[in-house]
Amino acid sequence: MLATASQRILGQSFQNIRPAVSVLRSYSSAAKQITVREALNSALDEEMSADPKVFLMGEEVGEYQGAYKITKGLLEKYGPERVLDTPITEAGFTGIGVGAAYYGLKPVVEFMTFNFSMQAIDHIINSAAKSNYMSAGQISVPIVFRGPNGAAAGVGAQHSQCYASWYASCPGLKVLSPYNSEDARGLLKAAIRDPDPVVFLENELLYGESFPVSDEVLDSSFCLPIGKAKIEREGRDVTITAFSKLVGYALKAAEILEKDGIYAEVINLRSIRPLDRSTINASVRKTNRLITVEEGFPQHGVGAEICASVVEESFAYLDAPVERIAGADVPMPYAANLERLAVPQIEDIVRAAKRACYRSVPLAATA
Amino acid sequence: MATAFSAPKFAAQPFTTISPTSQHKPLKIPTAASPFLGSTRKLLRLSSSSQLNLRRRSSGSVFAVSDVVKEKKPTPIPSLLITKEEGLELYEDMVLGRSFEDMCAQMYYRGKMFGFVHLYNGQEAVSTGFIKLLKQQDSVVSTYRDHVHALSKGVPARAVMSELFGKTTGCCRGQGGSMHMFSSEHNLIGGFAFIGEGIPVATGAAFTSKYKREVLKEADCDHVTLAFFGDGTCNNGQFFECLNMAALWKLPIVFVVENNLWAIGMSHLRATSDPQIYKKGPAFGMPGVHVDGMDVLKVREVAKEAIARARRGEGPTLVECETYRFRGHSLADPDELRDPTEKAHYAARDPITALKKYLIENNLSGEAELKAIDKKIDELLEDAVEFADESPLPPRSQLLENVFADPKGFGIGPDGRYRCEDPKFTQGTAHV
């Protein structure tokens, strides 16, 4: 079963299957396509071979080849001392990772989903994030916590929460969330090389998606800076900020809006903490309208922080109230139609953009 | 290899301690009259404060010391547990710990120290007995009751006192406080306020030691980690998770339980289904040892074996030290729930008095020499307090320092450059 899965994954990249979106976005037929899964796997592989202090730990990362096959092949290559299958003890093994990081090793701790990180959140916040401060710089914690975050498909309330805003509110942590393969490779490499604790929020539904990457991205020294957002699409009428999977939705929404003459600027946040307020504010000063998009719960979310930042720094430039699009304020339901209603969809982003541009009458109680 | 620590042996004999005799010392302490015969029996009897029990218990402890003395007088040197230098080192360390904590209480009531302060009076034998056997590269991971662990590990009293006063010359520049003492030079990882938080971190430190030896091929890396924690922690999930993983991966760690019978106001007997903590070791495949934590020599013997075991790569050990804290849980604790007879009983087993008696009765030292050490410690502490008093408070710019090792983590400012590159950044407020 594992063998056929690997053939399928390899088959995809060799046959250059291109999803509809990327046809528009590929600039030359020579551009290589890799899935986010391959991007993460290659980033881990390269960082582990470059630095023997990097090691992986988590449930099923070794013999099972990774619960989502992100760590495929790494056990065979690096051995069981560097790819550790742990027992089901999030608090315990996260603490062990932090202790190892105190002493100069560079653990990459995988949570099967970030929902399970709640069992270890004491160590992420209290032992990792705060230690450099409490020890006045004596002890730095070069650890990476990674895993899928946010909603998947039909997995229910306890497996679907987005943790971006929880972790991003804590000083001492860096929180990253990639969208495409380039982001995945660049940000994971930057995270592993970073001397501070990094929470790396992936998305399960993006693992299988292919994106074109340039040769520069495939180079083993490729790294993206932490704290800089990327303007995925330039525009002049409205700014849409998003991270992770919803960047894809925002881009599709931007195409739909273009037909109506609204040119949206889409910002891929990449880094939730530190938030690139400078890029966001510069964009809002250009377009004068802002929509924040996220999958998590609305109260105290990432969008709330972006809205506050824009109101503080660019209030005079706003021509319309900031629109926040977030997941519904309910635990994630199981039924497929209800789940669809509980997460933002492309139509919600389009509607919000039109509201911000005063092109439609706002409806009550919509996202 | 039948060492004293083989697990089955302990499962079969729950009521005796490891005798310091082991296989290589001729001195015999008759097990029938061992003072810690059934320490659990003592625990169960605490609820009935009968005079008879009290006398039996206290005579039991005196019996141990005088028994040792009786054996020793005819054949002086070879059967002693320590040399004179070691004895004086242990005495000085325990007196330093005790006097430091007493000074902390004084300073707290004078308003120079604030917040949560948890004192270690009465438990010095555990800290001294274990930590004085370590090398500088070995690590100690502790809890919020960490002042004396820091001192035993070698952090200067001045640095600890300044840290408690919240001054910039403290070991953590005033940013950690009483509960978060860290020193990378002395390999002391504080300093965790959460119960059980330090145990996985200690396991990680032990993991690093093994990783360095096996993966990074630093052949002589045999660093051992000691994790200190209390009886209340032994009911916490993380404790069991780490017993499992440490035994599974044979990590060089010693889990030291400072069982002082009380978790703030919760008696260990009220909180635990099976109060004999050392029995939980063999359940996970490691030896579990119980030792009298009020006797530094006994603790030291057990510690020697446990640390040597870890260094040889044989894996972890769980050591339960029966000890007692003379003061309340913290300086804010009125300490109303503990029975005065229980306190008196343990006060009679003060580890410092016991060691002093041992040194004098075995002609290892004299009153004058010990008094000189007391005086030296007093002067050291006066100096530490003076140093801390005169040290400056942290400057305003220190507020934003050390949040990240790579301060680019503060992000990009409105001018498009990283905030940390602005030379005036740390002069600002915390609003970033």
Side-chain angles (χ1 to χ4, degrees):
Chain A
M1 187 170 121
L2 282 170
T4 51
S6 68
Q7 276 167 22
R8 234 184 293 129
I9 291 167
L10 287 170
Q12 272 181 353
S13 56
F14 287 154
Q15 287 161 34
N16 270 344
I17 296 172
R18 293 176 188 182
V21 169
S22 70
V23 167
L24 294 167
R25 295 179 53 72
S26 64
Y27 302 104
S28 86
S29 54
K32 190 159 184 241
Q33 295 255 343
I34 57 171
T35 60
V36 171
R37 182 180 280 117
E38 284 161 7
L40 293 168
N41 185 281
S42 60
L44 287 170
D45 193 352
E46 286 162 20
E47 292 303 304
M48 284 182 81
S49 78
D51 187 348
K53 298 205 285 290
V54 178
F55 70 97
L56 305 183
M57 64 196 302
E59 293 155 11
E60 311 293 7
V61 295
E63 290 189 9
Y64 197 78
Q65 309 295 315
Y68 296 98
K69 309 297 181 237
I70 306 296
T71 50
K72 196 165 181 316
L74 298 177
L75 175 66
E76 287 75 36
K77 201 164 168 188
Y78 297 103
E81 297 106 2
R82 292 186 68 194
V83 179
L84 276 105
D85 276 323
T86 61
I88 307 175
T89 46
E90 272 79 10
F93 70 70
T94 305
I96 290 182
V98 173
Y102 280 9
Y103 281 87
L105 296 186
K106 294 181 164 200
V108 178
V109 176
E110 172 171 316
F111 292 114
M112 205 180 276
T113 74
F114 262 92
N115 300 278
F116 308 154
S117 75
M118 289 200 287
Q119 302 216 319
I121 200 166
D122 170 39
H123 282 290
I124 300 175
I125 308 288
N126 280 322
S127 309
K130 297 181 183 169
S131 285
N132 201 60
Y133 194 78
M134 289 197 296
S135 69
Q138 292 178 75
I139 293 171
S140 84
V141 192
I143 191 170
V144 177
F145 304 103
R146 51 160 292 271
N149 176 54
V155 292
Q158 292 186 348
H159 283 77
S160 305
Q161 189 165 336
C162 174
Y163 289 87
S165 63
W166 282 25
Y167 287 121
S169 72
C170 184
L173 278 184
K174 296 178 182 170
V175 180
L176 304 176
S177 191
Y179 160 57
N180 55 19
S181 307
E182 177 185 336
D183 290 352
R185 254 183 77 83
L187 292 177
L188 186 56
K189 278 162 158 305
I192 294 175
R193 294 178 198 181
D194 196 277
D196 287 307
V198 180
V199 171
F200 194 81
L201 305 170
E202 302 159 3
N203 188 296
E204 195 218 320
L205 298 174
L206 284 176
Y207 283 153
E209 272 198 42
S210 283
F211 296 91
V213 285
S214 65
D215 289 330
E216 188 204 345
V217 172
L218 294 172
D219 184 64
S220 68
S221 61
F222 176 69
C223 225
L224 285 173
I226 292 180
K228 279 212 78 62
K230 181 178 179 199
I231 298 181
E232 292 283 348
R233 182 189 174 115
E234 297 225 356
R236 55 161 203 245
D237 293 321
V238 62
T239 299
I240 306 178
T241 65
F243 60 95
S244 189
K245 188 178 77 181
L246 295 176
V247 175
Y249 286 28
L251 288 168
K252 292 198 184 110
E255 280 160 32
I256 295 172
L257 288 165
E258 198 181 348
K259 300 197 187 83
D260 281 325
I262 299 176
Y263 295 91
E265 179 149 296
V266 177
I267 299 182
N268 173 4
L269 291 174
R270 283 183 169 172
S271 171
I272 317 295
R273 184 178 186 107
L275 202 53
D276 191 353
R277 294 163 216 268
S278 141
T279 301
I280 298 169
N281 277 286
S283 173
V284 170
R285 288 174 189 214
K286 186 171 76 167
T287 64
N288 310 121
R289 292 159 215 275
L290 175 64
I291 301 170
T292 66
V293 184
E294 64 185 301
E295 203 176 41
F297 299 134
Q299 188 163 345
H300 307 299
V302 176
E305 176 62 31
I306 294 176
C307 174
S309 165
V310 164
V311 163
E312 281 164 9
E313 292 176 33
S314 314
F315 182 66
Y317 293 82
L318 283 170
D319 285 346
V322 174
E323 298 269 350
R324 261 191 310 173
I325 300 180
D329 205 8
V330 301
M332 183 67 67
Y334 167 67
N337 63 326
L338 290 181
E339 189 179 29
R340 230 188 141 266
L341 289 174
V343 283
Q345 302 296 335
I346 300 172
E347 305 80 57
D348 300 315
I349 305 177
V350 170
R351 262 204 304 272
K354 288 185 174 167
R355 276 200 304 271
C357 296
Y358 300 119
R359 302 293 186 89
S360 75
V361 176
L363 295 167
T366 43
Chain B
M1 183 166 114
T3 64
F5 278 63
S6 53
K9 188 170 168 190
F10 276 95
Q13 300 170 357
F15 290 106
T16 54
T17 60
I18 175 93
S19 120
T21 53
S22 302
Q23 288 92 352
H24 34 267
K25 294 212 170 60
L27 181 66
K28 282 189 199 65
I29 291 180
T31 50
S34 161
F36 293 95
L37 186 68
S39 55
T40 45
R41 270 203 253 146
K42 228 181 330 209
L43 290 175
L44 292 167
R45 285 209 189 104
L46 279 171
S47 45
S48 68
S49 51
S50 99
Q51 286 295 88
L52 181 64
N53 289 334
L54 185 60
R55 258 185 273 120
R56 273 178 66 184
R57 268 183 249 131
S58 49
S59 69
S61 64
V62 169
F63 179 66
V65 174
S66 59
D67 185 55
V68 160
V69 169
K70 267 194 227 134
E71 295 274 346
K72 281 202 200 63
K73 271 198 177 125
T75 54
I77 316 289
S79 45
L80 283 181
L81 292 170
I82 44 171
T83 65
K84 176 176 172 147
E85 289 75 34
E86 287 169 355
L88 291 178
E89 188 194 5
L90 297 178
Y91 182 79
E92 185 171 336
D93 194 54
M94 290 207 287
V95 170
L96 172 62
R98 177 70 59 88
S99 312
F100 188 93
E101 298 293 71
D102 286 337
M103 186 62 85
C104 283
Q106 254 194 64
M107 293 296 120
Y108 188 84
Y109 294 125
R110 277 195 222 166
K112 303 234 180 113
M113 227 179 263
F114 41 89
F116 286 129
V117 181
H118 306 86
L119 298 181
Y120 202 76
N121 298 51
Q123 300 181 196
E124 295 87 1
V126 179
S127 174
T128 303
F130 268 93
I131 300 180
K132 282 306 175 195
L133 291 169
L134 295 179
K135 304 188 292 201
Q136 173 140 22
Q137 305 94 324
D138 295 325
S139 348
V140 167
V141 181
S142 176
T143 61
Y144 45 76
R145 207 180 294 282
D146 56 352
H147 307 166
V148 179
H149 293 139
L151 294 170
S152 291
K153 196 63 175 58
V155 182
R158 278 182 159 196
V160 181
M161 192 61 85
S162 302
E163 182 64 29
L164 293 170
F165 281 33
K167 301 292 177 83
T168 197
T169 47
C171 57
C172 297
R173 299 171 81 206
Q175 288 173 210
S178 164
M179 297 188 285
H180 306 295
M181 297 276 169
F182 292 90
S183 168
S184 57
E185 185 196 338
H186 300 280
N187 286 303
L188 171 81
I189 311 292
F192 290 102
F194 274 56
I195 291 291
E197 190 179 349
I199 306 177
V201 172
T203 314
F207 176 87
T208 307
S209 168
K210 187 163 186 255
Y211 189 93
K212 280 186 178 164
R213 193 173 56 237
E214 293 178 1
V215 179
L216 300 178
K217 309 292 183 209
E218 290 171 26
D220 54 351
C221 183
D222 60 353
H223 308 329
V224 166
T225 306
L226 298 185
F228 289 93
F229 48 95
D231 44 284
T233 311
C234 295
N235 295 325
N236 188 275
Q238 291 181 83
F239 169 61
F240 298 108
E241 291 183 11
C242 291
L243 286 183
N244 177 44
M245 287 192 273
L248 180 68
W249 295 329
K250 280 203 143 98
L251 300 180
I253 183 171
V254 182
F255 296 102
V256 184
V257 183
E258 295 169 326
N259 182 355
N260 56 23
L261 303 175
W262 291 89
I264 307 188
M266 187 67 164
S267 151
H268 178 56
L269 301 171
R270 281 180 68 213
T272 317
S273 58
D274 184 349
Q276 294 174 288
I277 300 172
Y278 68 91
K279 284 206 295 195
K280 299 179 187 183
F284 287 90
M286 71 178 82
V289 190
H290 177 283
V291 69
D292 173 13
M294 303 306 270
D295 183 331
V296 67
L297 300 175
K298 293 206 179 94
V299 171
R300 196 179 150 88
E301 289 307 306
V302 167
K304 265 193 209 162
E305 176 68 40
I307 293 172
R309 221 181 92 85
R311 250 191 245 295
R312 286 192 298 263
E314 287 168 27
T317 314
L318 176 67
V319 180
E320 179 186 354
C321 303
E322 181 194 334
T323 179
Y324 201 76
R325 52 171 164 83
F326 295 156
R327 290 182 182 263
H329 164 72
S330 70
L331 288 174
D333 174 20
D335 195 16
E336 290 157 344
L337 288 174
R338 300 194 299 175
D339 191 1
T341 39
E342 181 191 83
K343 293 189 206 177
H345 164 69
Y346 282 97
R349 285 164 53 184
D350 187 328
I352 296 179
T353 332
L355 181 67
K356 193 168 179 178
K357 199 163 179 184
Y358 182 92
L359 291 173
I360 293 177
E361 285 172 357
N362 288 285
N363 295 320
L364 290 173
S365 182
E367 275 282 349
E369 200 171 9
L370 298 176
K371 278 231 159 16
I373 292 180
D374 291 343
K375 187 159 182 297
K376 177 176 147 199
I377 297 293
D378 281 337
E379 280 165 16
L380 180 78
L381 287 177
E382 295 268 344
D383 167 73
V385 171
E386 211 182 296
F387 174 77
D389 253 336
E390 287 164 10
S391 296
L393 287 168
R396 180 189 168 128
S397 58
Q398 202 181 303
L399 180 65
L400 294 175
E401 287 172 17
N402 299 132
V403 178
F404 295 106
D406 165 25
K408 293 207 192 96
F410 278 111
I412 295 174
D415 58 358
R417 287 188 312 151
Y418 282 107
R419 283 203 158 81
C420 58
E421 286 163 7
D422 174 4
K424 297 258 235 24
F425 172 56
T426 52
Q427 297 298 322
T429 65
H431 178 80
V432 282

